[in-house]
Amino acid sequence: QGQLVESGGGLVQPGGSLRLSCAASRFTFSLYVMSWYRQAPGKKQELVASITSAGDSADYADSMKGRFTISRDNAKNTAYLQANSLKPEDTAVYYCKADLGRITIWGQGTQVTVSS
């Protein structure tokens, strides 16, 4: 069965940056649309960004535009989320997801905490 493992989360000061990674295994990564979602305590899960299987097009939630960049390296079976100018309200568990038709694979998430 497919597996996604997020990493790169942690504590960062406001205004700082993080690069989250999502390592894929046990499935053909290059065929899947990849997405990042996040969920803050007491809030709804929300989409951050998605990227096509070839990595040639990306979509972002309007509220994420400008500070978040999704990318992927199919040779490394890894998707990334570059997060810049982080704010306390960005504190959340960040999840990656892979989609191909009716198949969806979720990672377990990585905690991002933005605090001084």
Side-chain angles (χ1 to χ4, degrees):
Q1 190 175 0
Q3 182 178 11
L4 297 172
V5 179
E6 300 95 334
S7 63
L11 178 64
V12 63
Q13 295 186 31
S17 298
L18 287 174
R19 189 180 74 160
L20 308 183
S21 297
C22 176
S25 61
R26 304 177 188 174
F27 69 100
T28 307
F29 176 78
S30 61
L31 298 179
Y32 284 68
V33 172
M34 295 299 300
S35 300
W36 287 92
Y37 289 77
R38 71 182 188 184
Q39 187 166 25
K43 298 183 179 179
K44 299 177 181 178
Q45 186 182 62
E46 61 181 341
L47 174 70
V48 179
S50 295
I51 189 167
T52 58
S53 59
D56 56 350
S57 183
D59 290 305
Y60 300 87
D62 287 342
S63 61
M64 310 299 172
K65 279 277 190 179
R67 298 189 298 115
F68 293 86
T69 303
I70 189 171
S71 62
R72 67 191 297 160
D73 187 339
N74 285 345
K76 296 181 179 179
N77 288 343
T78 303
Y80 305 94
L81 183 69
Q82 180 68 43
N84 298 327
S85 301
L86 286 163
K87 306 172 182 178
E89 51 263 44
D90 294 319
T91 295
V93 178
Y94 285 72
Y95 300 90
C96 65
K97 179 170 72 94
D99 291 284
L100 179 62
R102 297 183 180 273
I103 302 172
T104 297
I105 305 166
W106 284 94
Q108 295 300 307
T110 185
Q111 176 71 50
V112 172
T113 302
V114 185
S115 176
S116 59

